[in-house]
Amino acid sequence: GLTDCGIWNALKMTFVQLDDHFSEDESGSTVTVAMCLDGKLWTANVGDSRTILDNGIQLSEDAKPADPRYKKGIEYRGGRLFFDRINDYLAVARAIGDHCEHAIGINPRPKITVYPLSEIPKGTHLILTCDGIYEAASTHQVAALIRGHKNPSAAKLAEDLVYSAYSAGSQDNLTAMTIKL
């Protein structure tokens, strides 16, 4: 059913099943998703893609391998850390699809958060981005950019965010989506 426990388990198992559909010769990915259901904002992420609100609240968690919680799980699953990378290869502790020999220790189970929609002011923007945006700006800088320009459409705000990160010199992939709540 649509109990909190049922939603939580469905999100976890969806990521695990998605991970199972990748073959060994395919690269993996980070993922961040959000959904509004029964008066709650649910987020789930693996890797270092982020979901934030334009008030600066970060709803997702970057899965950095050097974090002691992640390091313990990586080592338990047979991986090792070298220079803050798993097996000197991946810079994230959670991902989907990375099944190559260098990715031993990766976990596809997402970090899940739930936030009551009643605590989010009307007109707030939900911002989902890949990690390349954060090469150029902090969570608070991204939130301030979106918060400072509420009149354009959500699509235009996302376009401006990507362009700003590109102009600031980000060398990673750049993807953004904004949704006015």
Side-chain angles (χ1 to χ4, degrees):
L2 288 179
T3 64
D4 285 355
C5 184
I7 295 167
W8 187 281
N9 287 329
L11 284 167
K12 278 236 197 258
M13 294 317 300
T14 297
F15 276 64
V16 169
Q17 289 172 2
L18 184 58
D19 178 70
D20 288 343
H21 283 44
F22 277 77
S23 67
E24 285 190 30
D25 60 342
E26 292 178 297
S27 294
S29 184
T30 66
V31 177
T32 191
V33 299
M35 68 178 180
C36 295
L37 187 62
D38 290 337
K40 297 174 185 168
L41 173 60
W42 290 85
T43 64
N45 83 295
V46 292
D48 51 6
S49 298
R50 288 188 198 162
T51 300
I52 68 171
L53 296 173
D54 70 8
N55 61 5
I57 293 175
Q58 185 170 324
L59 300 169
S60 61
E61 177 181 275
D62 294 356
K64 298 296 185 185
D67 181 310
R69 293 173 300 136
Y70 291 119
K71 183 179 178 185
K72 183 178 178 181
I74 292 163
E75 291 171 346
Y76 176 79
R77 288 185 296 280
R80 300 206 42 211
L81 283 188
F82 299 97
F83 305 106
D84 293 337
R85 290 184 170 270
I86 297 174
N87 304 321
D88 199 26
Y89 181 70
L90 287 174
V92 293
R94 295 178 188 230
I96 57 164
D98 283 307
H99 297 291
C100 67
E101 64 187 64
H102 300 293
I104 295 169
I106 296 291
N107 183 353
R109 294 177 183 260
K111 169 69 176 173
I112 298 171
T113 62
V114 61
Y115 202 89
L117 286 171
S118 61
E119 294 181 18
I120 301 172
K122 187 164 179 64
T124 297
H125 282 88
L126 177 66
I127 308 159
L128 293 89
T129 57
C130 66
D131 61 314
I133 300 294
Y134 298 100
E135 275 190 12
S138 69
T139 293
H140 292 291
Q141 289 170 323
V142 168
L145 175 75
I146 300 300
R147 190 175 52 252
H149 300 92
K150 286 198 175 197
N151 288 334
S153 70
K156 177 70 172 136
L157 288 171
E159 181 182 320
D160 290 349
L161 183 56
V162 167
Y163 181 75
S164 295
Y166 177 77
S167 296
S170 178
Q171 297 292 307
D172 208 337
N173 51 337
L174 299 168
T175 307
M177 178 175 20
T178 65
I179 301 122
K180 193 171 192 175
L181 299 175

